[in-house]
Structure formats: structure tokens, C-alpha cells
Amino acid sequence: MGGRSKIGIIGVGLMGQGIAANIQKNGWEIGFLDHPGNQPTEMLLEKGAKAYSSAAALAEMSDVIILCVTGTPQVEDVLYREDGVLKGLMPGALVIDCSTAIPSSTLKAAEAVAAAGGRFLDAPMTRTPKEAAEGRLNLIIGGDRTLFEEQLPLFQAYAENIAYAGPVGSGHKMKLLHNFVSLGFSAIVAEAAACAERGGIEPEVLVDVLAKGGGAGVILDRLTPYLLSKDSSSFRFSLSNANKDMGYYIRMAEDLGASREAAGGIHTLFAAAVDEGNGERPVPELVTLMGASPEVP
């Protein structure tokens, strides 16, 4: 790679902004799709980044295109639309999908990229915008192993922990498994905290006992500031995104013929919160929503 490949980024949002900044800082020339959903891009532009008005135009100027959009509908749109990535994809160019997506759609996307003369890796991420800004994301990669190894210098520019999961689609499968576990634990802690409040258990006691027992873990750590002082800044993941990811997990489980009883209950919980107009609220606020009503969030 040698810092010479041109990297195109689609989705300079809460996560994509950090990815773009760290790739640029590590010596790659970057471009990005100009979009109203982007976070501020002035610093990227000041350091030489270029903005493009269409995904096709960006793809024409890129050796690698990184997708960091919300989910499957957005990935499909940016790839397949009239002025999408596939229209401008250069021979041998690589598409890296860092989004959270339905694995069956990922397989079709990889086939379409290959048919257009390109290559494909799914590389979803975990952690938060804070780690994205610090270049310390976790990546889960699916695709050809040799291609994965070739791209390690690029991945290392914005990630701390990088796991190879298997063939194309395996990254997105593992990401959904991860999010099912983390969001499921979030829902359990939120429900327990709401019940504890009604039962007269102080938040400090709840956190202390869970942290020294079976409730210890990253999710409790992220929820603790909210449990103790209603500070949600350490867990900036919306209830709408949680609902989306649980829906994707259930779709994957259905496609695989796998059990999904627990996932169904958790999905219902997040869906109810979204249906009540709380989709943009962060996951920690589920504690307050559940405390307000024992029936629905």
C-alpha cells in the first residue's frame, strides 16, 4: 500500500469521520462523498481531502472505497443506484463495507462488485465514535484471506483489534452476533435498573453488586454513568439503530434456521421504544423509559 492508494469514503458520520481522519493522518490520500449526513469535514478538506458529488465520481478516483453507512438499504442504494459506486468502479478496485448489514445482502453485493471487476471485503466495526476518533476501533473482516492480509496496513490505520472471521459475509454475521449479545445485555441491565428503582435499591448498590458478580462487563461499564448520574455520553448508540440491528439479527437467524426466541423479545422491546417516538434517544435512556412505564418503553 505504501500510503499511495487513493481511499474513497462514503459515510463521514459519527464513525466515518474518525475513520477518515485516521486514514488521512496515516498518509493516504482520501476523498469522500459530499452528503448532508456527514459530520463537519473542514479539517479533512484543509488537509487535502476532496469532496465528490456522486458515488460514481468518487469511485472513479479511488483504489479503495470504504462504505460506512447506516445499514443494508443504504449500502444497496449507494452501490446500485444510477450514479452509484458500481457505475464508477475501477478495475481491481476494492470495496470495503464497514456498515452493519444483512449477510444475505452482503453476498449479493460482493457478487455485483466482482461482476463489475472489483473486489470486496465486509469489515463491520464495534466500539463507539470515541474510539473511532482515536483510531481504536474493532474490525471483523469477511472475505478472501489473502486480500484481508494485503489490506492490514489500511485497517491498522483506524483499528486497534482486527479479527478475520472467514469468507465474504462472515464479518457481518459475526457483527450481528456481537450486537445481539451486547444489545441483549443492555436491555437486561436497563430492565433490572428500572425494577431496582421501583424496589428501592440505590443505583450505586446495583452497580457495585453487578460489577463484582455476573453482571460485570463492557456493557455495564458503558451504562454505569447513566445509571449513576444520567450521563449517556459513553454509549452514543441510538434506540433506532439498536432496533435495526436486532431486526437484522432476526433476519439472519431466520435465513440460517437458527433459534431466535430471546432475540424476538429483545427486538420487541427496542421496537416499542422506537414506535413511541424515542428512536433518536441513546440506548442508556432505555432505563428511564422502562422506569416510566412497566408496560411499554
Side-chain angles (χ1 to χ4, degrees):
M1 301 283 290
R4 292 187 294 272
S5 294
K6 296 180 180 179
I7 314 298
I9 301 169
I10 298 177
V12 188
L14 289 173
M15 302 295 279
Q17 185 187 52
I19 291 173
N22 280 288
I23 290 173
Q24 187 180 52
K25 182 176 70 175
N26 279 275
W28 278 269
E29 180 182 343
I30 69 167
F32 61 88
L33 179 63
D34 196 10
H35 190 275
N38 287 347
Q39 292 291 300
T41 57
E42 288 80 6
M43 289 185 64
L44 299 176
L45 293 168
E46 288 172 1
K47 294 179 180 179
K50 296 180 181 179
Y52 293 83
S53 60
S54 74
L58 177 64
E60 288 174 355
M61 300 300 295
S62 302
D63 303 302
V64 178
I65 302 97
I66 296 176
L67 310 182
C68 189
V69 295
T70 304
T72 292
Q74 293 77 21
V75 171
E76 292 177 347
D77 177 60
V78 81
L79 286 176
Y80 304 137
R81 68 191 183 205
E82 186 59 34
D83 62 348
V85 168
L86 295 182
K87 292 293 183 181
L89 193 67
M90 301 300 291
L94 172 64
V95 175
I96 299 175
D97 183 9
C98 288
S99 310
T100 301
I102 299 169
S104 57
S105 174
T106 299
L107 294 176
K108 294 177 182 177
E111 291 171 358
V113 168
R119 303 176 294 167
F120 185 94
L121 292 172
D122 47 303
M125 53 202 165
T126 68
R127 292 189 164 173
T128 71
K130 176 178 180 292
E131 286 85 19
E134 295 169 349
R136 297 178 49 247
L137 289 171
N138 295 337
L139 295 182
I140 312 164
I141 316 295
D144 178 78
R145 179 144 204 157
T146 299
L147 181 57
F148 155 71
E149 291 172 352
E150 288 175 358
Q151 300 303 317
L152 269 175
L154 177 61
F155 292 136
Q156 289 166 344
Y158 64 94
E160 180 176 37
N161 300 303
I162 304 166
Y164 176 73
V168 167
S170 299
H172 281 146
K173 289 175 185 174
M174 189 62 238
K175 171 64 184 294
L176 292 177
L177 289 163
H178 170 277
N179 279 21
F180 168 45
V181 173
S182 62
L183 292 171
F185 191 35
S186 298
I188 289 171
V189 173
E191 188 166 287
C195 184
E197 183 177 2
R198 287 175 177 264
I201 300 296
E202 293 295 327
E204 292 81 3
V205 176
L206 177 69
V207 169
D208 183 61
V209 173
L210 291 178
K212 292 176 179 176
V218 171
I219 295 301
L220 180 64
D221 293 344
R222 288 183 180 170
L223 288 172
T224 290
Y226 191 83
L227 295 174
L228 298 182
S229 61
K230 296 296 184 285
D231 176 8
S232 64
S233 61
S234 62
F235 201 162
R236 295 169 61 196
F237 195 72
S238 73
L239 291 169
S240 178
N241 276 332
N243 181 53
K244 167 187 68 73
D245 286 4
M246 286 305 308
Y248 285 4
Y249 176 83
I250 290 173
R251 169 69 181 277
M252 178 180 74
E254 289 173 346
D255 289 344
L256 296 173
S259 176
R260 50 193 178 276
E261 284 79 5
I266 295 164
H267 185 216
T268 297
L269 176 66
F270 286 116
V274 173
D275 290 344
E276 289 293 313
N278 299 301
E280 297 310 307
R281 299 175 75 165
V283 166
E285 292 190 23
L286 191 61
V287 176
T288 298
L289 296 174
M290 296 180 74
S293 170
E295 302 296 331
V296 294

